[in-house]
Amino acid sequence: MTDEIHGVGTEHLDLKTDRPHSARIYDYLLGGKDNFEADRVAAANITQGWANLPKSMRANRNFMLRLGRHLAAEHGIRQFLDVGTGLPTAPNLHDVVQEVAPESRVVYVDNDPIVLMHARALLVGNPAGQTSYLDADLREPDAILTSRQLRDTLDLDKPVALTLLAIVHFIVDDAEVHDLIDRLMRPLAPGSVLALSTCTADSAPEEVNAGVAAYTAHGVPVRARTKAEVVPFFAGLKLIDPGVVLVNHWHPDEAAAAVPDAHVHMYGGAAIKS
Ligand SMILES: C[S@@+](CC[C@H](N)C(=O)[O-])C[C@H]1O[C@@H](n2cnc3c(N)ncnc32)[C@H](O)[C@@H]1O
């Protein structure tokens, strides 16, 4: 493959297709085509015990869309830093926020080379706004904050929504998640937002714990957190109503309201920096 995305050559990507990867397992379970045998085998083993995982993933994806619309329409957010973007799945975040405000700017960040390969699909935004893609790791906030892509796209003197959706459960240590959030939020202007969704076993303990063990056995460590463990990630910020809830309860539309809690294994919330 010869390709270049914002100056990043993709011809030497090592996709490590012999090992399962979180982005591709997610893609497979959402019905996508960007996955390999190792991902499909892992997904089959994981969903043996965690049968409702695909439903929970769809509930999370729909939360992302409602969240983007809500932050753009009700809170006037025009800049988004989305870390752990995943493979492009229409509509993407920039589609919904640019529908509300065409001038919206989005920086997408992921560390999976296969997401990088598809990044061009994330870069087709409304010409009034701007989208960019950065190949970087959540564990290296300084590389994200000092990147050309971020500096060229976002004005850090104005509010930014940092979206960490379905990513921090891949970091099992609470202290590390707190530190990363703190380092990413610190330079953001007042009025900025932290939005986060992460896995929980509260709504289906047996099922989720079996699935988490299967993920970990396939070399993808995952941590399910209780509500009491998720709420402190928003410490020092003002939670937007309804606070931290199962994602189907966060400003639900008709479809979200119809999803039973037992099928939703993700908490979500958003909070404003003063
Ligand atoms: C489950 S997907 C979530 C996609 C999307 N945010 C959503 O909620 O629909 C998790 C994504 O996070 C990415 N990811 C996992 N750990 C990461 C890290 N340390 N740094 C950057 N991206 C990471 C994976 O490559 C994958 O694309």
Side-chain angles (χ1 to χ4, degrees), residues 35-247:
N35 47 74
F36 298 90
E37 183 62 15
D39 307 306
R40 296 189 282 272
V41 169
N45 288 339
I46 292 162
T47 51
Q48 236 171 30
W50 196 352
N52 288 307
L53 175 60
K55 288 181 186 156
S56 183
M57 286 174 165
R58 271 192 287 279
N60 175 67
R61 196 75 200 164
N62 291 335
F63 163 71
M64 185 269 274
L65 301 177
R66 298 197 306 282
L67 170 83
R69 270 186 215 112
H70 186 87
L71 294 180
E74 307 299 327
H75 295 272
I77 299 289
R78 298 290 178 262
Q79 306 193 100
F80 293 81
L81 173 57
D82 182 56
V83 185
T85 297
L87 283 152
T89 306
N92 292 294
L93 183 61
H94 70 270
D95 297 312
V96 296
V97 300
Q98 290 182 344
E99 206 174 277
V100 177
E103 70 274 24
S104 299
R105 293 168 163 253
V106 182
V107 176
Y108 288 116
V109 183
D110 205 287
N111 70 348
D112 183 17
I114 204 158
V115 181
L116 174 64
M117 255 175 61
H118 288 278
R120 223 181 344 210
L122 295 166
L123 299 174
V124 187
N126 190 304
Q130 193 176 325
T131 61
S132 61
Y133 182 79
L134 172 65
D135 178 31
D137 200 296
L138 170 61
R139 289 190 160 95
E140 292 175 2
D142 295 341
I144 296 174
L145 291 164
T146 59
S147 68
R148 183 172 50 82
Q149 286 88 337
L150 186 144
R151 295 284 162 180
D152 285 353
T153 311
L154 305 181
D155 175 355
L156 295 193
D157 292 331
K158 297 188 179 141
V160 173
L162 168 66
T163 53
L164 299 176
L165 306 178
I167 180 170
V168 300
H169 47 235
F170 297 117
I171 299 178
V172 296
D173 179 29
D174 276 352
E176 188 177 3
V177 177
H178 281 283
D179 176 59
L180 294 172
I181 290 174
D182 190 43
R183 286 164 65 192
L184 284 169
M185 288 300 291
R186 204 179 301 145
L188 304 187
S192 291
V193 171
L194 167 68
L196 181 147
S197 67
T198 194
C199 174
T200 184
D202 287 359
S203 47
E206 212 173 302
E207 186 182 345
V208 175
N209 288 329
V212 164
Y215 255 106
T216 305
H218 279 280
V220 183
V222 170
R223 162 108 184 263
R225 290 184 166 91
T226 63
K227 189 167 180 171
E229 290 167 326
V230 176
V231 171
F233 291 150
F234 297 96
L237 308 171
K238 189 174 183 304
L239 275 164
I240 295 171
D241 279 346
V244 175
V245 291
L246 289 175
V247 290

